[in-house]
Amino acid sequence: MKHLFFFLVLVAILAVCFSAGCISNPDNSDATVTVTDAAGREVVIPADPQRIAVSGSGSTRLVAYLGALDRVVAVDSQDGKTTSSTDLRPYGLANPGLRTLPVLGTVKGQVDPELLLAASPDLILKSSSGADLAGEADELTAKTGIPVVLYSQYDPGTKPEEFATNLRLLGKVLGKEQRAEDILDYFAEIEGDLNNRTKDVSDAEKPLLYVGGVAYSGSHGFYSTQPNYLPFRYLHAVNAAAGTDTGVGTTENAKIAKEQILAWDPDIVFVDLATLTAAGGGSIVELSTDPSYNSMKAVRSGEVYAVLPHTSMGANYETILADAYYIGKVLYPDRFADIDPAVKADEIYEFVVGAPVYSQLNANVRNLSFTKLEIPLL
């Protein structure tokens, strides 16, 4: 009885210590924090979430930037549809296990509550892509008990402040605040380097450029371009399509009539290799078989070059930066004499997504990236 009495006393003392906080829960499993998400919702989440579900366009990319993909247990349907030979997402190539994870629905952005519960995540990160999903997020939490944090997947080149806000939000959620700052500093350093190499190029040295075949909600032919194509902008280059009215702002894609492209008659043409899967073979086939395109100055003089596709599940900013270095070397070889574009691409990929995946990405576009394209003359 004496031993039982002392045991009960010890249990009582321990209970008081736990409640007073003098002994902490070793795994801190019940600790929570409150964050304000992109929709202005205050969301209570686990303080150290280890099982994450992600949904929406670009949802996985920012988690990859933060080096936290090892915590992802379920992904958006589009992240689960790619194969190793079709993947154009650097983060997907660097983390092939993503392709084998359970998906949350059958279409992009869809979250089936039963599939979510089956994955048993601590929380779900959902890219809102500018849409008002607050009601949907609240309903999902009500059905499953799983907190939903909404964020916006902005491009750091076109909306840098919004991108920084959302990356820092996810950094706080995942306990990756310092990594978020490191990514922001790295992007600023790259942009600064590109700017310093080209800021004093005279207007007389600047050829007229056009980039065709840029992906936007799928692959397209030579008519598809971006008026605010970031690699051109970072190099202070002259984009023939700059200022084109897209109807939704100059950061979006524009569909340019053939007659307009021919009227511009650019000095140098770049082809985004996302075009390879477009109907009819895309830009390269068009330049090779269409007499009008084939007669352009750039084609006749052999000034047609290929760049990596930067749009796949949203804009892969690391590829935008890699393309900028290659384009800079084409335009101003003396100013980029120290740059090997493939090596620079891998340097960027390794820092941003954790692995040097240029060769894999290049293989998925027929090893044509960062090359001068041989367009037969008609």
Side-chain angles (χ1 to χ4, degrees), residues 90-352:
Y91 68 84
L93 293 172
N95 300 274
L98 286 175
R99 291 190 288 271
T100 66
L101 291 177
V103 296
L104 295 171
T106 57
V107 296
K108 182 174 67 176
Q110 181 189 71
V111 180
D112 183 318
E114 291 185 6
L115 295 176
L116 181 62
L117 286 169
S120 187
D122 299 326
L123 59 86
I124 178 170
L125 302 175
K126 189 166 179 57
S127 169
S128 61
S129 298
D132 180 11
L133 298 178
E136 181 181 323
D138 291 340
E139 182 180 353
L140 188 59
T141 297
K143 288 180 178 179
T144 65
I146 298 171
V148 180
V149 175
L150 295 174
Y151 71 98
S152 296
Q153 199 276 121
Y154 289 110
D155 187 315
T158 55
K159 293 189 176 182
E161 292 181 3
E162 291 89 339
F163 172 79
T165 296
N166 283 277
L167 189 67
R168 286 172 173 142
L169 166 64
L170 296 193
K172 180 178 181 181
V173 168
L174 298 172
K176 295 282 189 176
E177 292 95 336
Q178 185 56 56
R179 173 63 178 175
E181 297 305 320
D182 290 345
I183 285 287
L184 293 172
D185 289 345
Y186 185 73
F187 285 166
E189 177 187 333
I190 295 290
E191 292 168 22
D193 182 47
L194 293 167
N195 174 66
N196 290 336
R197 290 173 185 266
T198 58
K199 63 184 178 182
D200 60 348
V201 175
S202 68
D203 289 345
E205 297 177 81
K206 296 179 180 180
L208 183 65
L209 311 180
Y210 178 80
V211 58
V214 180
Y216 184 72
S217 296
S219 54
H220 301 284
F222 194 59
Y223 61 84
S224 179
T225 193
Q226 285 183 325
N228 188 34
Y229 186 59
L230 291 174
F232 290 171
R233 197 181 84 188
Y234 291 152
L235 297 166
H236 303 278
V238 181
N239 184 351
T244 301
D245 182 9
T246 65
V248 287
T250 57
T251 61
E252 301 288 350
N253 273 56
K255 296 179 180 180
I256 308 297
K258 182 196 298 186
E259 293 75 15
Q260 181 60 72
I261 298 173
L262 296 175
W264 287 330
D265 198 16
D267 299 303
I268 301 176
V269 160
F270 292 91
V271 172
D272 183 309
L273 291 171
T275 195
L276 291 173
T277 57
S283 300
I284 298 176
V285 172
E286 293 173 60
L287 293 173
S288 302
T289 62
D290 185 307
S292 298
Y293 282 142
N294 198 259
S295 68
M296 287 193 306
K297 182 192 310 178
V299 176
R300 307 305 288 186
S301 61
E303 294 292 322
V304 181
Y305 301 87
V307 294
L308 290 166
H310 69 261
T311 300
S312 182
M313 279 289 279
N316 294 281
Y317 193 62
E318 59 279 14
T319 294
I320 289 173
L321 298 177
D323 281 341
Y325 275 101
Y326 172 67
I327 294 170
K329 193 170 183 75
V330 169
L331 301 181
Y332 312 114
D334 291 344
R335 294 171 181 263
F336 288 80
D338 60 321
I339 296 296
D340 179 322
V343 172
K344 190 65 177 180
D346 268 342
E347 174 192 303
I348 294 169
Y349 289 140
E350 188 154 23
F351 185 87
V352 178

